[in-house]
Amino acid sequence: MTKRDLSARPLGLPGDFVFGVATAAYQIEGGVAEGGRGPSIWDAFTARPGAIHHGETGEVACDHFHRWAADLDLMAELGIPAYRLSLSWSRLQPTGEGPLNPEGVRFYRELLAGCRDRGIEPFVTLYHWDLPQALQDAGGWPERRTAELFGAYAQQVADELGDLAEHWITVNEPVCASFLSYWWGMQAPGHTDLGEAVRAAHHLLLGHGLALRALRARRPQAKVGITNLVSNLAPAGDGAADAAATAQLDIRFNRMFLEPVYHGRYGHDVVEVFAPQGLTDTETDEGLVRPGDLALISAPADFAGVNHYTNTRVAADPDSWNGARMIQVEPAPTNFGWSDTPEALTAVLRRLATEFTDLPLYVTENGATFTDYVTPDGAVHDPERVHYLAGYTAALADARAAGVDVRGYFLWSFLDNFEWSWGYSQRFGIVHVDFGTQQRIPKDSALWYRDLIRANRAGPPTPEGSFS
Ligand code: IFM
């Protein structure tokens, strides 16, 4: 481990800097057959033999559907001022069209009001990957109609829930919801078709634009943005081949999703890669990219969300995917093999601010998995996560010192939860969850984060919680 100041100290961030935690509906809620919820693509994908580690599912997950009030109490005790959560589309609109499900609306109204009652500011994500299965049966995100229905859904959500949150994130990580889901087969619906993936990517971005427009129309005060996953990529060596391989991966991981949102076009080299699948910057009536799409996708937002996890060096290698071998920068001690290199977060934030947007930035996810377990003293000691967080939160201050307008940080995640294809094998939480008993135990990192937030708050410290 590198030497790092591990104290929960003032970082020189402004008093209104937003510290929060993040989760997503399918990863924590459970209650999949309750409250009128319809099936989502994740219910179908988790039922597919071999798709998920140990055949696990989100059927119960953290049982947050029933335990949300106690979970919010714990969040408040830890003095966490903001909570990024997602709405399950199929809980709110079981088939992805038609009227909203009143029980789903009631659940989320209580949840959002519950945040506010406890002084926690909700940041709401409209789409965090759990497409209603009925829409997948009709073709899913590769179909343009899915984006249109998403826009209509966003309008209904704005009408029913829009009074309870100021910040709205339209789509979480379109790269995962398209490429990982329709190209690499790793996520629901588990397809491996590049054509579908490219169409899904464009329609997810279009869905963002339509949702942004709907939120603006119904809730003019709302602050709206999209969250992209941004990986830090750099060539492994000095040669032109490594640089070219890096540029190719950058197109596939980052620029395909950043260019249209922040520059209003895919750009020549992105189009060149995906032209065989129909991607164009020319808008045509019959093509994938239709008249008006790019204006919708790039319509002014209020902030840019960025999720950051990986720091990768890229070596040209004809035997690897797209001729590029990916090497995680050392030290890479997290369970996923991802790096603990906070300078990568600073680099990503700087890149967004210099190459892509003047909008305020929010880090809407960042975190790491380790082998956490309850020790005989009843605690969960996770010094590696404290080390990780000390670095990545200091990186925010470094980015601000370099002139980047980063305004918030949401730690992934509040609870250990269902980590998609990896099931429950990867623990991202600052709160340990015993999935047998549903007992929650704040890890040492939760107490550290509480202290960091206190140290960085202007005004009186938050009240003592029961975990001091
Ligand atoms: O758990 C996921 C989350 O749902 C989306 N961003 C990355 C996290 C860690 O893999």
Side-chain angles (χ1 to χ4, degrees):
M1 279 187 184
T2 50
K3 204 156 190 263
R4 199 172 283 176
D5 184 347
L6 302 184
S7 60
R9 64 192 195 287
L11 296 168
L13 296 165
D16 60 356
F17 189 89
V18 179
F19 280 106
V21 287
T23 65
Y26 188 75
Q27 294 181 269
I28 63 165
E29 278 182 9
V32 293
E34 293 178 66
R37 178 185 178 279
S40 84
I41 54 175
W42 275 94
D43 300 304
F45 190 57
T46 53
R48 186 194 287 184
I52 311 290
H53 175 83
H54 286 174
E56 289 160 342
T57 77
E59 217 172 304
V60 177
C62 306
D63 196 28
H64 181 73
F65 183 65
H66 298 110
R67 297 169 193 265
W68 63 267
D71 287 338
L72 293 186
D73 286 344
L74 176 55
M75 206 179 284
E77 275 179 59
L78 290 167
I80 295 171
Y83 176 33
R84 176 179 173 232
L85 59 101
S86 83
L87 309 176
S88 157
W89 188 350
S90 66
R91 189 177 292 292
L92 279 168
Q93 195 178 40
T95 61
E97 50 189 317
L100 295 190
N101 163 29
E103 287 183 77
V105 171
R106 193 172 335 118
F107 172 69
Y108 286 117
R109 283 201 71 79
E110 285 178 9
L111 181 61
L112 294 173
C115 290
R116 294 164 69 104
D117 291 346
R118 291 165 178 81
I120 298 167
E121 192 189 345
F123 280 56
V124 182
T125 306
L126 282 173
Y127 188 71
H128 199 124
W129 308 354
D130 41 0
L131 185 72
Q133 180 59 34
L135 297 189
Q136 182 54 44
D137 293 341
W141 284 107
E143 291 297 319
R144 188 176 177 90
R145 184 161 177 271
T146 302
E148 291 162 358
L149 289 171
F150 181 62
Y153 163 71
Q155 181 169 316
Q156 290 163 284
V157 171
D159 288 343
E160 297 293 339
L161 302 172
D163 56 320
L164 292 173
E166 187 185 358
H167 290 84
W168 293 82
I169 292 153
T170 53
V171 175
N172 181 68
E173 298 178 0
V175 63
C176 298
S178 56
F179 287 1
L180 266 65
S181 306
Y182 290 94
W183 185 4
W184 304 335
M186 288 170 60
Q187 299 203 337
H191 293 191
T192 52
D193 181 316
L194 177 55
E196 283 195 15
V198 172
R199 292 199 299 281
H202 180 68
H203 293 146
L204 279 151
L205 295 170
L206 179 62
H208 152 71
L210 292 167
L212 172 73
R213 187 173 73 181
L215 281 156
R216 287 255 186 277
R218 303 306 249 230
R219 297 284 167 187
Q221 323 296 357
K223 297 205 182 327
V224 188
I226 184 173
T227 277
N228 271 299
L229 181 68
V230 187
S231 305
N232 190 49
L233 303 168
D238 294 335
D242 287 359
T246 307
Q248 285 301 313
L249 287 196
D250 195 34
I251 286 172
R252 289 159 178 80
F253 287 122
N254 297 324
R255 291 189 43 235
M256 169 77 186
F257 303 91
L258 295 171
E259 295 285 354
V261 172
Y262 299 116
H263 292 154
R265 53 163 171 67
Y266 284 100
H268 168 72
D269 50 357
V270 177
V271 166
E272 195 173 64
V273 170
F274 295 119
Q277 287 72 42
L279 194 72
T280 55
D281 267 333
T282 320
E283 300 179 319
T284 57
D285 287 339
E286 303 303 325
L288 172 62
V289 183
R290 303 264 170 98
D293 282 8
L294 291 167
L296 272 171
I297 292 170
S298 62
D302 300 296
F303 61 88
V306 48
N307 292 355
H308 172 72
Y309 292 94
T310 54
N311 187 20
T312 307
R313 294 295 165 267
V314 184
D317 175 2
D319 295 332
S320 296
W321 181 72
N322 279 297
R325 185 159 41 88
M326 293 182 269
I327 307 151
Q328 285 298 296
V329 177
E330 297 294 331
T334 74
N335 270 9
F336 260 144
W338 297 346
S339 311
D340 179 356
T341 50
E343 62 279 8
L345 174 59
T346 310
V348 156
L349 294 172
R350 290 184 71 163
R351 179 180 187 202
L352 281 170
T354 50
E355 272 182 54
F356 290 102
T357 181
D358 293 332
L359 290 173
L361 306 180
Y362 285 88
V363 178
T364 40
E365 285 181 29
N366 171 247
T369 62
F370 300 100
T371 310
D372 303 324
Y373 49 91
V374 184
T375 46
D377 60 355
V380 179
H381 303 298
D382 57 345
E384 307 94 335
R385 187 173 286 101
V386 170
H387 184 268
Y388 181 97
L389 293 174
Y392 281 78
T393 50
L396 302 165
D398 291 346
R400 283 194 68 92
V404 178
D405 183 11
V406 54
R407 296 202 187 164
Y409 176 85
F410 290 81
L411 192 166
W412 185 270
S413 180
F414 181 54
L415 302 170
D416 289 336
N417 59 48
F418 178 75
E419 177 55 24
W420 309 114
S421 308
W422 289 271
Y424 296 96
S425 66
Q426 299 289 333
R427 292 182 175 271
F428 270 102
I430 53 171
V431 172
H432 184 272
V433 176
D434 178 325
F435 293 104
T437 64
Q438 292 295 343
Q439 190 194 8
R440 273 68 162 149
I441 299 176
K443 303 177 190 177
D444 287 356
S445 57
L447 309 185
W448 181 92
Y449 196 47
R450 173 199 63 190
D451 293 346
L452 182 87
I453 292 167
R454 278 185 191 167
N456 281 277
R457 277 193 107 153
T462 47
E464 287 295 316
S466 49
F467 303 103
S468 15

